Amino acid sequence: MTKWKAFLPLLLSVAVLGCKPEPYTVEAGFTNGSTTGRHIVSKMTITTLSGGRANFAMGSVGGYPGAHSGGGKIDAPAYIEGEWAKGNPEPSSGLISYHRISAPIPDNAEAKMKTMDNYYQNFDRDYGSMEVIVDGPRVRVFYSKSCVDMYDDCTPKQGADPNGWVVRSPKNQTDVVVLFDGKGESSPTPFPSADTATSEHRQKANSPE
């Protein structure tokens, strides 16, 4: 009995150190849109801090906030990877540029989401909106509670945003926090697929000098 008592503090400390805190999660709909016209989004994946993956690729999109899916629970984004193309402004005239990105999302994304969730004085919606917006090579990730002044009381709490993270949405209809704002690679022609790139690499390796 005495031996068990001696080992008990050690066992408790191991148990405490071995427990990881639960990630901060939100219930959110997923949106994929654009502020500069038609785009075709063939791939757009966000990997979260917990290792989860959320798909934001919704094909042909245009307008803000754009196409919407049911979404679900998601924790803070940590990485974004995607491929998309910009449509010609003229109707039925194809695509004019191709873009892709593979980039980390700044590690203050979770803090920004918490700020947004605790921003309003009298508005208490238990779900939000995670939005991926493409504009040519530019891609942005927003998080919003979709509080619209015309219908809701969007009065902010005093001191709720000391870092100035909360900004107006592109249409100036609601508040968002910008979790990511970056530019991807651009090409006038489609990027080679992984299989094509591998094949070309092998052909170069096997060709005589």
Side-chain angles (χ1 to χ4, degrees), residues 21-184:
E22 288 292 318
Y24 182 79
T25 60
V26 297
E27 195 78 34
F30 296 168
T31 299
N32 186 196
S34 173
T35 64
T36 54
R38 184 174 66 93
H39 288 68
I40 305 296
V41 184
S42 57
K43 175 183 178 182
M44 190 62 70
T45 303
I46 283 180
T47 303
T48 68
L49 288 175
S50 68
R53 291 166 67 85
N55 180 19
F56 285 80
M58 299 183 194
S60 180
V61 301
Y64 176 83
H68 180 271
S69 74
K73 280 195 173 181
I74 186 171
D75 55 303
Y79 204 88
I80 185 167
E81 190 168 11
E83 293 185 15
W84 66 100
K86 181 173 175 56
N88 195 310
E90 297 298 322
S92 305
S93 52
L95 303 170
I96 58 174
S97 59
Y98 298 81
H99 312 280
R100 66 183 179 185
I101 196 167
S102 183
I105 291 175
D107 57 11
N108 61 4
E110 182 176 291
K112 288 182 174 181
M113 289 167 63
K114 289 179 178 178
T115 295
M116 187 79 267
D117 282 340
N118 295 283
Y119 184 67
Y120 299 108
Q121 186 172 296
N122 301 308
F123 181 75
D124 188 24
R125 180 174 287 159
D126 60 2
Y127 61 91
S129 177
M130 193 72 73
E131 305 169 355
V132 177
I133 309 301
V134 291
D135 293 300
R138 186 184 187 188
V139 55
R140 289 173 287 176
V141 180
F142 299 152
Y143 176 63
S144 175
K145 297 298 281 189
S146 302
C147 186
V148 179
D149 295 300
M150 187 181 297
Y151 309 108
D152 310 302
D153 182 353
C154 302
T155 305
K157 294 177 185 175
Q158 186 173 359
D161 182 25
N163 297 295
W165 286 332
V166 178
V167 296
R168 297 298 286 175
S169 68
K171 280 192 173 181
N172 196 31
Q173 291 179 337
T174 188
D175 302 304
V176 303
V177 285
V178 182
L179 307 183
F180 179 81
D181 187 350
K183 285 188 175 181

